Amino acid sequence: MAAAISLKLRVEGMDCGACAVKIENAMKRLPGVSDIDVNYSLQSLSLVVDEDRTSRHAIEAKIKALGYAPVDPSGSIASSLHDDNRDVTESAWWSSSKGRLVIGTGVLLMLAFAISDVEPTWSNRAYTAAALIGLLPIGRRAFAGAASGTPFSIEMLMSIAAIGAVAIGAAEEAAVVVFLFAVGELLEGVAAGRARAGIKALIDLVPRTALRQSGSSVETVPVEDILVGDTVIIRPGDRAPSDGTVIEGISEVNEAPVTGESVPVGKEPGSKIYAGSINANGELRVEITRTAADNTIARIIHMVEEAQGSKAPTARFIDRFSRWYTPIAMTLSALVVLVPPLLIGADWFTWIYRGLAVLLIACPCALVISTPAAIASGLASGARRGLLVKGGAALETLGKIKTVAFDKTGTLTSGHPLVTDIVVIAGTEAEMLAKAAAVERGSSHPLGAAIVAETERRGLNIPQAFGGGIATPGKAVTARLKSGFVSVGSPRHAAEQSDISDEIKKRIEALESQGKTVVVVSEGKHLLGLVALRDEPRPDASDGLAKLRALGVHAIMLTGDNARTAAAIGSALGLEARAELLPDAKLAAIAAYKSDGPIAMVGDGINDAPALAASSVGIAMGGGTDVALETSDAALLKNRVAGVAELIALSRATLSNIWQNIALALGLKSVFLVTTLFGVTPLWMAILADTGATVLVTANALRLLRFEFKS
């Protein structure tokens, strides 16, 4: 007894939502087949099959009968990047089944034209032959679809219309309609291929080979052979083969392909490297931390693919609508044929002709593809700019956001304290800061690390401490320097050791009222000065919040930090701040704002997980980290506050594009319907109401790939 297995196939020729529906319906009718996932934007089919009940051969045969080509993608370029194995190469249009149909029907049409020109009496027979021969593959797909649970397919409508046209003597128009239908399907495929170009571009970011170092030898190996812990060499101009950590070398790296950040980022030992980033100058030795199948690029690809495969609310509505739309349209076509001749004795030929034209206009492809084409382009456009959205539902919701709630630490602020003020009491500023750094050097405390970093930034010489610092938890750190014992501690500890004048106390209170932490530097019992530190706002925070306000979105800060610090940061950034919120209080605040409209929560994706999940859309900050890719509904790889406004603007552009597409699809059909009923539209133009609209809708959706945020 064979166990159920997972099967993944690439399905060539599947270029629209209607194609995916046909394949899904066909798979549902096969015994032992479950967990069906069809993604037309990626031309992929995945399912679970019990091979005792349905063989793989039967599945492939059913797909072929519908007019598509199932392909085993194992061993493809993409397989080295992630487990959605598939071939990513695009064949030339003339070698595809749709291309061959265009060429074949075109040749038949030209032959019929030539025959009718040479022997006019044979004209009708020549065009009839051209129409019926060209219709054969379309008709086979129509009846295969009907047998598999999709009776109202575009191929069925086409077949009925073409055969009907031949029957009433309009063979010439029938042949032209078949040819135009083939051209329209080819153009759909070309447009869909362009929409898939975003994924291919991401795959191409990762080199196929890498320079792996083993001892003193260096060898070129396929990128999929690199293992965690291997050391690779990245030369100037090379792309990183996978994620890793720099262990030797200093250089600048262009991370724009991954994060969208255009400014090169400095790298040194200990720095992270992302797959696909480009080394600018110095040679780097990098220890690999992720395999090719699990690196940042692979996970971005996987996330975008899953997002493109998911249906947005509008897309689900259109799908439900189209299930009723097509049968209603076919009923309308029948009424157009029957009612005028039966009620008022109108000419049968005229109204059969017009009814067939209505049948062609009724094809739902343009309407069905209107939403997913825009969503797929919006998701791909965002991914290329470091804005990752996990699905069409989140992308749609972002455009409707009324309020954005920010966590403070690590989101609006840098996440670590910086020296903001230095008050000298005795000696010089440089001497006092250098002595404080000498005491704190080697300390793991964030405040001590910030003092050392500021001293090094200023290029000051740090004195040698003898014996290391002695820490008194919660009070001070003391070390012996050449000049004597120096302490860096809290104001309370300093007051216990020596007298602090009222003037210094007032200065300490003033700094603390600004949300800053103050430490006192003293030598023996003599005060040398004060150092104030605070987790400062990100450099781009103010600009990012201004962009949100320009979009009409209200911003608030929800933090568990103390009220004084929250008020200071909120005042500096010009936004409402709610402080000292425990997780339950944060959730209550989110719920209150949510009752007034959709709210987005922006956090670091770790301690904000409950609030991120409770919001309408959770947005994680983080430059390519696991948290940024795997937590929440969206992630900002640029790690900038301005990315929130860019996400909302992209969503609004996508929503606008969706409604433009729906208007194009229904508007063009409405115009052609009216002109058809008045006898203005011939059959060959009626087919343009669908194929033409489908191409226009897809082309309009592709404009989102060039989306640029305008502040």
Side-chain angles (χ1 to χ4, degrees), residues 166 191-192 240 307 636 700:
V166 169
L636 306 177
N700 187 50

Side-chain angles (χ1 to χ4, degrees), residues 318 321 325 360-371 657-673 686 688-698 700:
I318 293 294
F321 176 72
Y325 165 85
L360 293 175
I361 293 168
C363 296
C365 276
L367 183 63
V368 170
I369 204 174
S370 59
T371 297
N657 194 279
I658 287 171
W659 289 111
Q660 290 168 12
N661 285 348
I662 293 172
L664 273 173
L666 293 180
L668 201 57
K669 288 179 183 295
S670 300
V671 169
F672 274 90
L673 178 62
L688 294 179
D690 187 69
T691 57
T694 300
V695 172
L696 285 175
V697 161
T698 307
N700 187 50

Side-chain angles (χ1 to χ4, degrees), residues 100-120:
R100 291 193 296 270
L101 184 60
V102 168
I103 294 171
T105 54
V107 169
L108 288 170
L109 187 61
M110 287 189 291
L111 282 174
F113 176 79
I115 290 171
S116 64
D117 188 53
V118 173
E119 185 54 62

Side-chain angles (χ1 to χ4, degrees), residues 499-513:
D499 292 332
I500 299 180
S501 67
D502 290 341
E503 182 183 350
I504 297 301
K505 287 180 180 178
K506 289 180 181 179
R507 191 67 185 270
I508 291 172
E509 289 173 1
L511 290 169
E512 288 181 337
S513 69

Side-chain angles (χ1 to χ4, degrees), residues 25-64:
N25 287 341
M27 295 300 104
K28 285 178 180 177
R29 293 199 167 198
L30 295 175
V33 174
S34 61
D35 297 338
I36 302 162
D37 182 21
V38 186
N39 190 328
Y40 84 86
S41 64
L42 302 173
Q43 294 187 316
S44 69
L45 165 66
S46 64
L47 48 81
V48 174
V49 57
D50 181 347
E51 291 190 297
D52 280 342
R53 302 177 66 189
T54 298
S55 67
R56 174 175 175 144
H57 176 74
I59 291 172
E60 293 181 347
K62 180 64 73 173
I63 294 171
K64 288 177 182 176

Side-chain angles (χ1 to χ4, degrees), residues 145-167:
S148 301
T150 312
F152 302 122
S153 65
I154 185 172
E155 290 86 359
M156 182 62 78
L157 301 184
M158 260 296 307
S159 299
I160 295 171
I163 292 171
V166 169

Side-chain angles (χ1 to χ4, degrees), residues 416-419 445-455 533:
H416 52 83
L418 299 172
V419 173
H445 195 283
L447 297 180
I451 291 172
V452 173
E454 177 64 17
T455 307
L533 305 97

